[in-house]
């Protein structure tokens, strides 16, 4: 999907964290956001995900304004079209990897054998088939993060939003996670916006943007 952001302004108390920010992301494009801590990168991702609301400005996906939808419609849109890899979005520890992937499918009305088959097939395609029946809290950090990325991809979203998806991972796990995310972009044509501090990750993006003084500029 094409993402079009215009004049986005988000204030906390008297401070505008984002100040009339504009952004265009093409379908299938991978954009990496960089910037110092506190610059507003996570704030921007949360606004794009429709989890937070701005004081001013517009956010459209293929022309559909999500900022003017009511909360129920925004939630439906998010479940259908967006894939999120956020630090706060942990796997459910008491469910297996497979069942963690079935949850987002259930939320869009896909149940039973169809959901199970799709979740299993994706885990296998991503080389995670052996982990399908392990409980999430029995997986290593790197394995959990790869399953979390699989969960974000299982409903074939058109837009992926990832907040430091390789943050706490060793080099091998980080590379595996990036292969999954970039693969979804290149193969399925999903648009990807990710926040990162890692040079290797930046190197794989089509475009690097710096969040600074509430706006974006080429980095
Ligand atoms: P980054 O992701 O670039 O590190 P954030 O988007 O998390 O930055 O935060 C940007 C600024 O907004 C910071 O100064 C932070 O303290 C402030 N901020 C973020 N969330 C809240 C909140 N819920 N209430 C008040 N201030 C917040």
């Amino acid at each position: 999907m094409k993402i079009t952001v215009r004049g986005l302004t988000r204030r906390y108390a008297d401070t505008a964290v984002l100040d009339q920010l504009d952004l265009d992301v093409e379908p299938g494009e991978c954009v990496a956001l960089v910037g110092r801590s506190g610059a507003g990168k996570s704030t921007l991702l949360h606004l794009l995900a429709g989890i937070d609301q701005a004081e001013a400005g517009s956010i459209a996906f293929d022309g559909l304004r999500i900022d003017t939808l009511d909360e129920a419609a925004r939630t439906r849109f998010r479940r259908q079209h967006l894939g999120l890899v956020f630090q706060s979005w942990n796997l459910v520890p008491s469910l297996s990897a497979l069942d963690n992937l079935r949850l987002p499918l259930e939320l869009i009305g896909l149940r039973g054998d169809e959901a199970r088959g799709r979740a299993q097939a994706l885990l296998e395609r991503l080389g995670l088939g052996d982990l399908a029946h392990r409980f999430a809290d029995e997986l290593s950090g790197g394995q959990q993060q790869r399953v979390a990325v699989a969960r974000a991809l299982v409903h074939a979203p058109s837009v992926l939003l990832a907040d430091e998806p390789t943050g706490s991972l060793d080099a091998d796990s980080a590379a595996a996670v990036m292969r999954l995310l970039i693969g979804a972009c290149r193969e399925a044509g999903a648009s990807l916006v990710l926040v990162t501090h890692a040079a290797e990750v930046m190197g794989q993006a089509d475009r690097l943007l710096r969040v600074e003084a509430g706006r974006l500029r080429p980095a």
Side-chain angles (χ1 to χ4, degrees):
M1 279 183 167
K2 182 172 169 49
I3 308 172
T4 311
V5 175
R6 291 291 176 270
L8 198 65
T9 298
R10 181 72 175 102
R11 290 192 190 88
Y12 289 117
D14 284 343
T15 311
V17 174
L18 302 180
D19 185 11
Q20 303 201 37
L21 175 145
D22 295 336
L23 169 67
D24 292 276
V25 183
E26 295 302 320
E29 190 181 20
C30 170
V31 172
L33 301 178
V34 299
R36 65 170 177 78
S37 176
K41 304 179 294 298
S42 300
T43 300
L44 176 54
L45 278 198
H46 284 106
L47 290 169
L48 292 174
I51 292 169
D52 186 17
Q53 277 193 288
E55 275 76 33
S58 64
I59 299 173
F61 293 95
D62 275 355
L64 175 75
R65 292 269 305 263
I66 60 149
D67 54 286
T68 57
L69 296 177
D70 65 30
E71 194 168 334
R74 219 170 28 244
T75 299
R76 274 199 304 279
F77 179 87
R78 181 187 319 118
R79 288 174 175 170
Q80 194 84 43
H81 298 291
L82 305 188
L84 308 183
V85 185
F86 287 179
Q87 318 274 306
S88 55
W89 217 270
N90 293 321
L91 298 173
V92 180
S94 59
L95 291 182
S96 68
L98 185 72
D99 286 343
N100 267 283
L101 263 68
R102 287 168 62 197
L103 278 182
L105 295 176
E106 262 184 40
L107 292 174
I108 57 169
L110 220 64
R111 288 166 206 279
D113 288 347
E114 195 181 350
R116 175 182 289 276
R118 203 156 141 181
Q120 181 77 41
L122 179 66
L123 286 173
E124 277 164 21
R125 193 162 66 76
L126 300 180
L128 302 170
D130 292 348
L131 305 180
H133 298 291
R134 297 258 292 274
F135 288 109
D137 63 3
E138 295 170 354
L139 301 172
S140 72
Q143 289 170 333
Q144 286 185 27
Q145 188 66 343
R146 281 190 287 155
V147 172
V149 172
R151 178 185 55 176
L153 298 175
V154 71
H155 57 303
S158 312
V159 174
L160 279 164
L161 304 173
D163 197 349
E164 300 204 39
T166 64
S168 52
L169 302 180
D170 61 62
D172 284 350
S173 298
V177 160
M178 279 314 292
R179 271 198 302 279
L180 301 183
L181 288 173
I182 297 280
C185 249
R186 305 283 183 250
E187 288 158 30
S191 313
L192 169 60
V193 180
L194 62 84
V195 169
T196 189
H197 291 292
E200 310 84 70
V201 173
M202 295 174 200
Q204 296 181 61
D206 298 316
R207 205 146 52 96
L208 269 185
L209 295 173
R210 181 174 304 281
V211 183
E212 194 173 84
R215 306 226 180 139
L216 295 172
R217 61 175 186 76

